[in-house]
């Protein structure tokens, strides 16, 4: 399969991601862990969205008018995106299975939940004064997971776009898609 994106667009994305990865490092260096946390979360959002974007055309529920198919918009919750890729990994889809470590999904979901909890705690004076160390620890873990996610996404693209590779979305995984209409 061949990438459908123009090379100049792909190069612009590389520059954009380098910019944000550098911003994360700068924020960590400045001990601005809340900013680093926002940036890490945003990069996770983008990485998982870009992965799903390559696969969703084969899901009968994502092809319809769903949250997953609103043009270039990124409307699915991050955990929903992660669970979609995790489901495909569980169905032993080669381009995902060989690119992502299975525990990466759970560890990232755990990080997202912890990070979100820390964000909500900022709204309480009781917790606000005690968040720096928690955010620092969270950012260190999140940044490590993000770096692994970037490596996994690169490997996924290499496998997905291999000349002789043909991705097939398993019916069983489609039936658990969050875009499937609820009765």
């Amino acid at each position: 399969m061949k990438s459908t994106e123009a090379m100049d667009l792909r190069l612009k994305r590389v520059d954009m991601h380098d910019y944000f990865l550098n911003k994360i490092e700068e924020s960590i260096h400045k001990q601005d862990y809340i900013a680093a946390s926002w940036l890490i979360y945003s990069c996770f959002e983008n990485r998982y969205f870009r992965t799903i974007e390559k696969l969703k055309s084969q899901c009968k529920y994502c092809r319809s008018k769903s949250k997953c198919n609103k043009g270039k918009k990124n409307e699915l919750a991050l955990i929903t995106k992660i669970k979609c890729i995790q489901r495909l990994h569980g169905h032993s889809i080669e381009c995902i299975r060989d690119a992502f470590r299975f525990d990466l999904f759970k560890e990232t979901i755990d990080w997202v939940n912890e990070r979100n909890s820390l964000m909500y705690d900022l709204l309480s004076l009781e917790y606000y004064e005690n968040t720096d160390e928690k955010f620092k620890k969270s950012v260190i873990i999140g940044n490590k997971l993000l770096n692994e996610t970037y490596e996994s996404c690169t490997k996924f693209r290499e496998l997905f776009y291999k000349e002789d590779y043909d991705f097939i979305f398993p019916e069983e995984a489609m039936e658990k898609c969050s875009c499937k209409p609820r009765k």
Side-chain angles (χ1 to χ4, degrees), residues 20-36:
F20 283 107
L21 294 173
N22 287 333
K23 282 290 191 192
I24 291 168
E25 292 304 322
E26 285 175 25
S27 296
I28 291 170
H29 181 72
K30 292 178 184 175
Q31 298 181 355
D32 188 353
Y33 301 117
I34 295 171

Side-chain angles (χ1 to χ4, degrees), residues 95 152-163 165:
C95 63
S152 296
C153 288
T154 298
K155 178 78 171 162
F156 161 78
R157 278 191 314 277
E158 289 169 1
L159 295 168
F160 186 79
Y161 288 122
K162 267 183 19 184
E163 186 81 27
Y165 184 72

Side-chain angles (χ1 to χ4, degrees), residues 18-64:
D18 286 345
Y19 172 82
F20 283 107
L21 294 173
N22 287 333
K23 282 290 191 192
I24 291 168
E25 292 304 322
E26 285 175 25
S27 296
I28 291 170
H29 181 72
K30 292 178 184 175
Q31 298 181 355
D32 188 353
Y33 301 117
I34 295 171
S37 180
W38 275 105
L39 292 165
I40 291 167
Y41 186 94
S42 181
C43 287
F44 275 130
E45 284 266 9
N46 184 272
R47 290 297 77 215
Y48 281 100
F49 175 73
R50 299 280 299 137
T51 302
I52 287 175
E53 201 172 39
K54 291 167 181 53
L55 310 171
K56 70 181 181 181
S57 66
Q58 288 203 25
C59 176
K60 64 186 175 187
Y61 299 113
C62 293
R63 285 191 303 251
S64 64

